């Protein structure tokens, strides 16, 4: 029996137009770059607002004449991004191009809402998936370990500084500081208790992050104390170290409003020189904002030049 071949074949299912899929694919691939660009613009706006709102007043009022202030101020400023670079160099073997991104991470955390810098760096890493397979877990773990290190440091500094300076602090403020220390320590212990569910990295990497963060906190405190000692040599370095310990303590306490004002008042009560000290604090804050702005402009200019070379090539 002869079977006749069919005269027609069923039409294949109509495929979706390729052009309709490209925008979704492009958006998924480009969202880290878009997020990074938006956060960079927000950083520039935030730095400009802070600097021109009240930061320039600190620059105008008092400019330290000693070069030692500027040397140690820069060392204190770059302690955080340098230590972050050491951490991610170990975790991801990042190239030198990560250093500008880590500076932007620090600036965003200082100027914008909390952990916006970590979101920026996560987006930066996602845009370079050839280098990093799963960046979220590492960025999360580094942030958590950094917070725990800061809380433990604050607790240790509080155990040293509060018995020495409690007479200079109002009772209600002292009570708030103690409760803040207890809360910060309890939160850190809770994270450590559930560490297997919280952390993604290996234990030896977590310990490496902890020790580098501890080194960073110590280096930042010592260098800013040396900077202030060069700016105001009438005050002993030991007194500056005591004040910096108090500053680090106050910066980590969650329930205290007006932390900068509290530290400034405490410093004036300890060493006097109210006008000179307040001018030095204002100059330091304004110099930090100025460094933020200069680095954002510098890294932005380098990025534009690199893109122009690519277009020409």
């Amino acid at each position: 029996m002869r079977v006749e071949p069919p005269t027609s074949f069923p039409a294949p299912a109509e495929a979706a137009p390729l052009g309709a899929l490209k925008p979704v694919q492009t958006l998924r691939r480009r969202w880290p770059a878009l997020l990074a660009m938006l956060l960079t613009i927000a950083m520039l706006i935030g730095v400009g607002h802070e600097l021109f709102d009240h930061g320039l007043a600190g620059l105008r009022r008092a400019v330290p004449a000693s070069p030692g202030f500027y040397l140690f101020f820069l060392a204190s400023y770059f302690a955080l991004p340098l230590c972050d670079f050491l951490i991610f160099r170990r975790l991801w073997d990042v190239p030198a191009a990560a250093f500008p991104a880590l500076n932007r991470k620090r600036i965003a955390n200082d100027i914008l809402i909390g952990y916006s810098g970590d979101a920026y760096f996560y987006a930066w890493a996602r845009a370079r998936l050839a280098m990093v397979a799963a960046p979220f877990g590492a960025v999360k773990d580094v942030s958590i370990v950094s917070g725990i290190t800061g809380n433990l440091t604050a607790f240790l500094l509080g155990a040293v500084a509060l018995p020495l300076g409690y007479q200079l602090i109002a009772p209600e403020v002292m009570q708030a500081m103690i409760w803040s220390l207890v809360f910060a320590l309890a939160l850190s212990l809770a994270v450590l208790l559930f560490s297997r569910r919280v952390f993604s990295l290996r234990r030896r990497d977590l310990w490496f992050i902890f020790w580098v963060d501890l080194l960073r906190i110590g280096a930042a405190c010592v260098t800013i104390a040396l900077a202030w000692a060069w700016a105001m040599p009438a005050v002993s370095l030991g007194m500056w170290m005591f004040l910096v310990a108090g500053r680090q303590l106050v910066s980590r306490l969650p329930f205290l409003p007006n932390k900068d004002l509290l530290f400034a008042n405490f410093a004036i009560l300890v060493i006097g020189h109210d006008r000179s000290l307040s001018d030095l604090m204002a100059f330091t804050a304004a110099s930090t904002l100025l460094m933020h702005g200069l680095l954002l402009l510098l890294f932005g200019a380098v990025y534009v030049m690199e893109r122009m070379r690519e277009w020409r090539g």
Side-chain angles (χ1 to χ4, degrees):
M1 179 178 179
R2 183 179 179 183
V3 179
E4 296 292 333
T7 57
S8 62
F9 293 92
E14 184 178 355
L18 185 60
L21 300 178
K22 283 184 178 179
V24 177
Q25 187 180 29
T26 302
L27 181 60
R28 287 179 178 175
R29 288 183 178 180
R30 295 185 62 186
W31 75 260
L34 293 174
L35 176 61
M37 181 183 67
L38 291 175
L39 285 174
T40 300
I41 294 173
M43 280 185 273
L44 283 170
I45 295 173
V47 169
H49 176 267
E50 292 290 332
L51 190 59
F52 289 100
D53 184 28
H54 52 77
L56 286 177
L59 287 176
R60 288 193 299 266
R61 279 198 300 264
V63 178
S66 172
F69 170 83
Y70 303 98
L71 176 64
F72 288 111
F73 169 78
L74 289 175
S76 177
Y77 181 90
F78 285 110
L80 176 56
L82 282 172
C83 287
D84 276 350
F85 182 79
L86 290 177
I87 290 172
F88 286 102
R89 182 75 174 178
R90 173 188 173 97
L91 298 179
W92 297 341
D93 194 24
V94 294
F99 188 68
L102 289 168
N103 276 275
R104 294 192 189 99
K105 169 180 174 286
R106 178 259 181 88
I107 294 170
N109 283 337
D110 282 355
I111 299 298
L112 306 179
I113 60 175
Y115 297 104
S116 57
D118 298 273
Y120 167 84
F121 191 67
Y122 169 66
W124 181 89
R126 277 294 303 268
R128 291 152 179 81
L129 289 180
M131 179 187 70
V132 182
F136 177 76
V139 174
K140 168 184 66 69
D141 287 3
V142 170
S143 300
I144 293 175
V145 174
S146 178
I148 292 175
T149 308
N151 290 341
L152 293 178
T153 305
F155 183 80
L156 294 175
L157 291 175
V160 175
L162 290 182
L164 298 176
Y166 73 96
Q167 295 178 339
L168 302 174
I169 304 174
E172 60 274 11
V173 176
M174 174 65 75
Q175 186 177 7
M177 293 179 71
I178 292 174
W179 279 111
S180 296
L181 280 173
V182 171
F183 175 80
L185 183 62
L187 183 62
S188 300
L189 291 176
V191 173
L192 293 175
L193 183 63
F194 298 97
S195 59
R196 292 187 177 180
R197 297 184 179 182
V198 172
F199 295 115
S200 306
L201 297 173
R202 298 171 299 178
R203 180 170 296 181
R204 60 181 180 181
D205 289 330
L206 296 174
W207 276 110
F208 177 80
I209 297 168
F210 171 78
W211 289 115
V212 172
D213 274 328
L214 198 62
L215 173 66
R216 183 255 306 171
I217 292 172
C221 290
V222 170
T223 50
I224 197 62
L226 288 169
W228 289 344
W230 277 89
M232 291 183 61
V235 181
S236 67
L237 178 60
M239 185 59 69
W240 283 122
M241 290 295 298
F242 176 74
L243 290 177
V244 168
R247 179 174 178 249
Q248 176 66 21
L249 168 63
V250 169
S251 69
R252 300 300 307 181
L253 299 182
F255 300 141
L256 290 180
N258 300 322
K259 296 178 182 180
D260 292 336
L261 181 61
L262 174 63
F263 168 71
N265 291 335
F266 176 73
I268 291 171
L269 287 174
V270 171
I271 68 173
H273 304 281
D274 52 347
R275 180 59 185 270
S276 300
L277 182 62
S278 60
D279 286 350
L280 179 59
M281 297 298 107
F283 182 83
T284 303
S287 299
T288 302
L289 291 172
L290 187 60
M291 282 296 301
H292 288 349
L294 290 176
L295 287 179
L296 287 175
L297 292 175
L298 174 63
F299 295 145
V302 171
Y303 177 80
V304 170
M305 291 175 63
E306 289 176 350
R307 298 287 81 78
M308 290 179 65
R309 286 198 206 99
E310 291 179 1
W311 294 336
R312 291 175 182 174

